[in-house]
Each structure stands twice: as structure tokens, then as C-alpha cells.
Amino acid sequence: MFTYIISYIKKRLNAQFYETPCEELAMSLLGKVLVRRLDDGPIIRGRIVETESYLGHDDAASLSFKGKVTPRNEPMFMKPGTAFVYMTYGMYHCFNISSKGDGASVLLRAVEPLDNLNTMTSLRKQFRKCSKTVMTNKDLCNGPAKLCISFAIDIKSCNKQDLTSWDGMWVEEDENSKLIDTIVCSPRIGIKCEKMWQDKFLRYYIRDNPCVSKIEKTKMNELKYSQIENIK
């Protein structure tokens, strides 16, 4: 097990990766692998397939709009690569990663499960009204709340953790991370604020990936992933 964990940590994305503007980070995270090491030993892995940018001060949809700092959004103002976990609707968690720029962060919306799917399924069933309902693999993490449940991500254990050094969770590169051909850019989901910010194309996902939470048919642009990689 020790060697197994060390091999993952060697692939961990470093601080320089996160020290980048929010929109660029949101696109660059696509295809990377989220790794969660649970307290009782299991390691869960999944490929990031959908993200959203929250730009901070000027972004009316951001929890840090107008630069306001609160106990809830404090991680958005911490060093890039800090985990920001908050509750929505009083019962579900959302997981973000801080980026370059005060109050800016990237929301992870969906992940494609890779390893330890039995553990993910067990965690999800604890939150389902009917635990006997069959759950497909693509439905395990195809939404921000589902992702947090399947990866056991909550405020108590994960908020404010440094993803470049914490051994409980990190993001890594792997041999398939660069095989993405095209990403889709569209407006964010469930945003209620000024129309200008509701309509901004700040959501990104891997085209044709079955684990994306919602596939756009209108209001979308497509970018070659190589264009994003060339920016970095």
C-alpha cells in the first residue's frame, strides 16, 4: 500500500499548475485525475470531465462577489490549489479549487469514475432514499453533489486543505490525461444573478463524455484541447 500511495503522489500537480487564471485552470483541469485517500485506507480515483469558473470580485455568481470575505468563502482567497468546500440547499456539498486571483475558484461538476467504484457506490447509497435502486457507473459522480458524496468530500475533512501537499486528496496527471480532443464551453448551470453573468460561457466539459452532468445542444462553443495546453 505504501508504494501504491507514493506512485500517486509523484504524479501530483504542483503549486505552479494552480497558479493560473481561473478560466484557464478550469479548462486545464479537464482530463486530470482527482484522487481521494479515505481515512480507513481506500483510494478513490476519477477523471475530471466538467468544471465551472467563478471569477471572484466582478462575477455576480461568485460567492466572493465584490471581494467580500466571509468564514464560508475564506478558502477562495487562500493560495491557489486550496480546497474550498461549502454546503448548498442545506444538505449537499460542492467542491472547488482556488485559482490565481483573489476570490477566484473552479467548481468541479463531474468526474468519470476510474478506481474503487464499489466504495463510491456504497457512499452514494447512504444518501439515497431507495438504496436498492440500481446505480450505473456514469451516474456516480455526474453532478457536484454526487461527486462530493462519492468521494467523501465534506467541509469537516476537506475544506481549506492544500491539494499540493495534503495526503488525503490531490489532483494528478496520468497517461490518458492528454488524450482529450475537444472541450465544450457553455453557460454555467443553475445560476441566478445578473443576466450578463448568467449567460457567460464559464462552464467547460469534455465533449462526448457520458459522465458530464448536462450536454448542451445550444449556447455552446467548442475548443481543441491543444489550444488550451498551448496557453500554459
Side-chain angles (χ1 to χ4, degrees), residues 119-137:
T119 299
M120 295 185 197
T121 301
S122 177
L123 288 165
R124 278 293 310 281
K125 284 184 175 180
Q126 294 177 27
F127 282 81
R128 290 169 66 91
K129 293 180 180 179
C130 182
S131 60
K132 294 183 180 180
T133 303
V134 177
M135 191 184 314
T136 63
N137 293 340

Side-chain angles (χ1 to χ4, degrees), residues 84-106:
F84 168 40
V85 185
Y86 68 91
M87 293 203 75
T88 182
Y89 302 116
M91 60 187 299
Y92 296 116
H93 287 92
C94 290
F95 168 47
N96 304 251
I97 302 175
S98 65
S99 69
K100 183 178 180 180
D102 281 348
S105 68
V106 175

Side-chain angles (χ1 to χ4, degrees), residues 36-85:
R36 176 82 165 100
R37 182 188 178 196
L38 302 181
D39 291 339
D40 54 355
I43 291 178
I44 301 171
R45 299 174 75 245
R47 192 174 309 284
I48 299 169
V49 299
E50 182 182 357
T51 60
E52 285 182 347
S53 293
Y54 289 86
L55 308 181
H57 192 279
D58 296 325
D59 185 353
S62 177
L63 292 176
S64 55
F65 182 43
K66 295 183 178 180
K68 184 178 181 180
V69 182
T70 67
R72 183 190 190 197
N73 72 8
E74 185 181 0
M76 300 179 80
F77 295 87
M78 296 173 69
K79 63 167 287 192
T82 299
F84 168 40
V85 185

Side-chain angles (χ1 to χ4, degrees), residues 180-200:
I180 300 170
D181 176 53
T182 304
I183 67 172
V184 176
C185 180
S186 70
R188 294 171 291 190
I189 294 176
I191 300 299
K192 294 182 180 180
C193 62
E194 298 173 14
K195 182 171 175 55
M196 179 183 75
W197 286 99
Q198 283 187 189
D199 294 341
K200 278 190 177 294

